[in-house]
Amino acid sequence: MSNEFLDTQRDIEEARRPVRAHPKGWEPGIDTAAGTITTVTDVSTPPQDWSHILWNLGLDPKAWEVDESQPVQVRSWDNHEKRLFYYRAVVRPSSGHEKPDVEALIKEIKRRRPKTPTDVLEERALVVCLADWQAGKPDHGGYEALIERLLDVKAKVPARLRELARAGRPVSHLYVVGMGDMVEACDGHYAQQTFGVELDRRQQIKLVRRMLVTMLADWARHPAKVVVAAVPGNHGENRRNGKSYTTFDDNADLEMFEQAAEILQANPEAYGHLSWVIPQGDMTVTLDVCGTIVTWAHGHQFGGSGLPLAKARSWWQGKMAAQHPAGDATVLVYGHYHHLQLLQDGPRTIIGCPSNDGGSRWFEEQGGPTTACGTLTFVCEGGGWRDLAVL
């Protein structure tokens, strides 16, 4: 091996090696919180004038000074070339430096009058997520209690729109998304399901369809562009022996929204401003909501173990890697798990919807807690989200 190669390799290694290793706790610099300044030099006596050192370390010598009444700590060692010295002194704000007048600042703050914010956005959307109604489930009041809760939501959405308008954030778009599991189904999901359901499949679909039409017809009166979408859930599947046996698209959660669309589209004069997004060949919906890319998924397709948010995050990362449209979103919304959950993961946000069913005794008997019923809503504007509220 040539000496030239060895010399070159040695130069590379030496270039990566620190020129000087300082003892820990004695690194040159200033710590204003601790009130110390540390410098290293080959001069055997402490500095008489610290101003140039303060300046080199980023402090204004007119505003800061070394406290001459305090002793200067000294440490020395030999680095094989020459003897080096550390000097650590106490640093403090200069007595001659003019400090802020806090009382004057407080008086100025009190004199300020709040200004009404000017709304400069032309587009703002309220997103309403209808999650896990599971119509026909008998638990905790059954379908009668469910109807009361849904009629309450029907009244609260217009009230929320008026509230946002009064707050100076009027809504230009209303997005209504079916998050799946709108019906309970009659078989194939858990023990005792068939015996326990209060409504058969046709009755469950009829209840949901009529409630959807009632809600949308009322909300369509608001002067906004209305977009209605839906994703399929596991309770909407056609199942045999606990397994789906038809297709991903053959799902009651999509069927009921298609039926509602056909009913309302029969009156284009009143409901022509409603747009419908029913997925074909995909179990998710991804839309640009007033500048914010949002993906909705029911959540039963999240694999793996762990808490729902962890499952959702892992599934979403897979969609990003696969360059699926869901991977472009900055907000992921899911249902299925019946609990309000939220995770801000860097620039992205994952939101789990609460459900509007009455709870599950089957889940409770397995040790699971009952969560509060509700409908998730939030506002999208300018590439972000805000104003999350559960109605």
Side-chain angles (χ1 to χ4, degrees):
M1 189 175 294
S2 69
N3 290 334
E4 182 181 356
F5 175 83
L6 290 174
D7 291 342
T8 302
Q9 185 65 22
R10 190 177 298 112
D11 289 342
I12 294 172
E13 292 173 355
E14 289 176 351
R16 293 174 179 171
R17 188 181 302 130
V19 176
R20 184 183 297 117
H22 301 295
K24 291 184 178 179
W26 285 84
E27 289 81 2
I30 291 178
D31 185 346
T32 54
T36 60
I37 179 172
T38 305
T39 184
V40 61
T41 179
D42 57 0
V43 179
S44 60
T45 58
Q48 297 301 310
D49 181 7
W50 290 83
S51 59
H52 68 286
I53 300 174
L54 290 166
W55 180 266
N56 290 335
L57 292 176
L59 287 186
D60 183 357
K62 295 180 180 179
W64 293 86
E65 64 182 7
V66 168
D67 187 352
E68 302 290 351
S69 67
Q70 299 297 320
V72 176
Q73 300 178 35
V74 182
R75 186 176 182 183
S76 64
W77 77 100
D78 191 347
N79 75 342
H80 306 295
E81 295 179 2
K82 55 185 174 181
R83 196 159 188 79
L84 297 177
F85 297 85
Y86 272 100
Y87 299 105
R88 172 172 290 178
V90 176
V91 68
R92 65 185 181 186
S94 174
S95 57
H97 181 67
E98 184 178 348
K99 298 180 181 179
D101 187 342
V102 177
E103 293 300 325
L105 290 174
I106 292 174
K107 289 179 181 178
E108 178 63 24
I109 292 170
K110 289 181 176 179
R111 282 198 296 265
R112 293 290 296 272
R113 293 291 179 264
K115 296 180 179 179
T116 303
T118 302
D119 184 20
V120 296
L121 294 175
E122 295 182 358
E123 291 191 337
R124 178 182 291 109
L126 176 65
V127 180
V128 179
C129 301
L130 307 178
D132 298 272
W133 290 2
Q134 293 185 222
K137 179 187 284 190
D139 305 83
H140 304 296
Y143 71 89
E144 292 182 348
L146 172 66
I147 291 173
E148 290 300 320
R149 289 192 296 272
L150 297 181
L151 289 174
D152 190 46
V153 173
K154 171 177 170 286
K156 285 182 176 178
V157 168
R160 182 65 176 146
L161 292 169
R162 293 191 295 269
E163 182 181 30
L164 289 167
R166 288 194 299 269
R169 299 190 295 279
V171 166
S172 61
H173 292 66
L174 176 64
Y175 281 74
V176 181
V177 183
M179 297 300 302
D181 284 4
M182 307 298 284
V183 294
E184 173 68 357
C186 297
D187 181 51
H189 295 86
Y190 55 88
Q192 305 168 351
Q193 181 182 13
T194 304
F195 184 83
V197 291
E198 294 183 313
L199 304 175
D200 62 30
R201 185 178 186 277
R202 180 186 175 191
Q203 291 171 327
Q204 292 176 21
I205 290 176
K206 183 189 295 185
L207 189 159
V208 173
R209 180 180 64 240
R210 290 186 176 179
M211 187 58 66
L212 285 174
V213 171
T214 299
M215 285 178 162
L216 294 170
D218 183 69
W219 298 344
R221 298 174 184 174
H222 182 78
K225 174 69 176 177
V226 181
V227 179
V228 185
V231 294
N234 52 303
H235 279 260
E237 296 171 341
N238 287 293
R239 290 195 168 197
R240 179 183 295 150
N241 298 323
K243 300 293 183 182
S244 173
Y245 69 93
T246 57
T247 66
F248 291 116
D249 298 330
D250 185 15
N251 193 292
D253 293 315
L254 304 182
E255 173 188 349
M256 290 176 288
F257 275 82
E258 285 179 328
Q259 293 172 355
E262 291 175 359
I263 292 169
L264 294 173
Q265 285 173 342
N267 187 352
E269 184 176 346
Y271 306 113
H273 61 295
L274 274 68
S275 299
W276 301 83
V277 183
I278 310 295
Q280 296 292 329
D282 198 340
M283 297 177 68
T284 66
V285 168
T286 300
L287 298 174
D288 183 337
V289 183
C290 295
T292 304
I293 309 301
V294 183
T295 288
W296 293 269
H298 178 61
H300 65 302
Q301 63 266 60
F302 300 164
S305 59
L307 296 174
L309 284 171
K311 293 182 180 180
R313 187 174 186 266
S314 178
W315 174 87
W316 201 8
Q317 288 173 334
K319 293 298 183 182
M320 296 174 201
Q323 296 185 328
H324 186 277
D328 297 332
T330 54
V331 178
L332 169 64
V333 185
Y334 66 87
H336 187 60
Y337 294 98
H338 294 217
H339 286 66
L340 174 65
Q341 301 180 74
L342 189 146
L343 172 66
Q344 288 191 294
D345 189 16
R348 301 174 188 260
T349 303
I350 304 173
I351 308 175
C353 296
S355 70
N356 233 315
D357 76 346
S360 169
R361 184 179 175 189
W362 174 258
F363 187 65
E364 293 165 14
E365 293 295 344
Q366 296 182 83
T370 298
T371 185
C373 299
T375 295
L376 173 73
T377 69
F378 57 93
V379 170
C380 286
E381 60 179 31
W385 68 274
R386 61 182 296 175
D387 294 318
L388 186 148
V390 177
L391 307 183

